Amino acid sequence: MSLIDIGINLMNSAFDADRDEVVRSAEAAGVSPLIITGSSAESSRLAQEFAAAINTTGALHSGKLFSTAGVHPHNAKDWDAGTEALLRSLALHSEVAAIGECGLDYNRDFSPRDKQRFCFEAQIALAAEMKAPLFLHERDAFDDFSAILQNNLTNIKKMVVHCFTGGEKELERYLELGAYIGITGWICDERRGRHLISLIKKIPADKLLLETDAPYLMPRNMPGAKRNGRNESRHLVHIAEFIAEILGKAPAELAAETFTNACRFFDMKKI
Ligand SMILES: [Zn+2]
């Protein structure tokens, strides 16, 4: 089974001690390429550098590392002209497969909402300029978020709403807008992810993408999973098997579909 983890926060300090090993063990489990999420100017720069360094060594047998370049809404307060220039220069590298993660997060409000909206729209414009797909984050901000997408549709080539945890109304709207949907191990959480078990059946097979969002969101129903343990890309195998069962598909079939979707979405023919 070959899977692509479209979202791992590999530059998070949780991986400082064994970052290379996390990549290798994922590949050994069949999870490769990985797409490292950039969530600030600094983490986007580090993600591109790490991906380029691994790719140069040829350490991976089955693929390459990719990254995204963007500023998470939590970090929108740090956005300035220098950030935009940095993301623009990062997007020119072959490892950088998308702009983001970007969007709106009104759950924690770590940045003022007007600043979040400004930073989000600036990254939509940048993705349009660079002809890059968008890696999107939305939490408790559906109305403003979907309105901004609607107003910018002509500027958006492709987009994925990553770590989708919303309800039916949100899902239908995102699909209408043409978005891909990223599903994480949240669906494996019997406390909060239950509603996704019926909703995931409504996602067209060619719009579904899989991700861990590691080190967060350890799939809770994975045998041996430690509560609040560190999630890793290799656990995507468990998430895919669980989703395949829900969808009544063979794991290999789901893997092949979502692998093709990820290659199409991120234009990974350029590997
Ligand atoms: Zn996110």
Side-chain angles (χ1 to χ4, degrees):
M1 179 154 73
S2 295
L3 294 164
I4 296 175
D5 186 356
I6 69 144
I8 171 171
N9 301 279
L10 190 60
M11 308 324 289
N12 186 291
S13 58
F15 296 117
D16 279 354
D18 60 350
R19 199 163 276 119
D20 291 41
E21 184 48 33
V22 168
V23 174
R24 268 196 296 273
S25 65
E27 187 190 38
V31 185
S32 176
L34 314 180
I35 300 173
I36 308 169
T37 308
S39 54
S40 64
E42 178 70 357
S43 76
S44 298
R45 186 180 65 75
L46 292 172
Q48 184 274 322
E49 284 176 2
F50 181 77
I54 292 274
N55 294 345
T56 307
T57 63
L60 292 174
H61 305 293
S62 59
K64 288 192 168 191
L65 288 187
F66 293 88
S67 67
T68 70
V71 172
H72 190 285
H74 286 344
N75 302 317
K77 55 185 176 308
D78 302 325
W79 178 271
D80 61 20
T83 315
E84 186 170 336
L86 175 69
L87 298 186
R88 183 176 285 109
S89 72
L90 288 175
L92 295 172
H93 290 265
S94 60
E95 294 81 21
V96 175
I99 296 294
E101 72 175 293
C102 61
L104 301 177
D105 192 317
Y106 294 173
N107 180 264
R108 309 256 203 116
D109 281 323
F110 285 159
S111 286
R113 293 184 178 182
D114 58 340
K115 192 84 202 216
Q116 289 192 38
R117 289 188 288 267
F118 181 84
C119 180
F120 181 26
E121 294 204 285
Q123 290 178 85
I124 293 175
L126 184 60
E129 176 192 328
M130 307 308 289
K131 299 185 173 42
L134 275 165
F135 190 89
L136 300 173
H137 171 106
E138 179 266 320
R139 191 126 187 245
D140 294 349
F142 172 72
D143 289 343
D144 281 1
F145 179 81
S146 51
I148 288 175
L149 293 178
Q150 176 71 54
N151 292 339
N152 288 278
L153 265 191
T154 50
N155 261 340
I156 297 172
K157 194 175 119 200
K158 282 179 283 189
M159 57 179 155
V160 56
V161 178
H162 113 98
C163 192
F164 177 79
T165 57
E168 186 165 13
K169 179 184 92 167
E170 287 84 0
L171 179 63
E172 282 177 356
R173 186 72 188 119
Y174 294 150
L175 290 172
E176 266 170 31
L177 291 167
Y180 286 66
I181 307 293
I183 296 289
T184 62
W186 187 284
I187 197 170
C188 302
D189 185 333
E190 73 288 352
R191 304 162 308 167
R192 353 176 250 183
R194 228 157 223 284
H195 69 293
L196 291 178
I197 290 179
S198 51
L199 272 187
I200 196 170
K201 296 173 189 154
K202 302 191 177 214
I203 302 174
D206 62 352
K207 284 289 164 65
L208 177 63
L209 295 169
L210 304 182
E211 51 173 328
T212 59
D213 205 25
Y216 315 113
L217 304 183
M218 172 69 97
R220 280 173 59 95
N221 63 1
M222 188 174 71
K226 288 201 199 84
R227 277 188 72 182
N228 302 320
R230 185 185 76 170
N231 196 8
E232 294 183 25
S233 287
R234 66 193 164 94
H235 299 154
L236 195 63
V237 175
H238 171 80
I239 297 168
E241 285 171 349
F242 183 64
I243 292 174
E245 198 184 314
I246 295 167
L247 297 176
K249 290 183 179 179
E253 184 187 358
L254 178 71
E257 285 171 1
T258 54
F259 196 97
T260 303
N261 292 346
C263 290
R264 182 191 327 114
F265 182 81
F266 291 104
D267 289 325
M268 285 202 277
K269 347 179 239 309
K270 69 186 179 187
I271 295 178

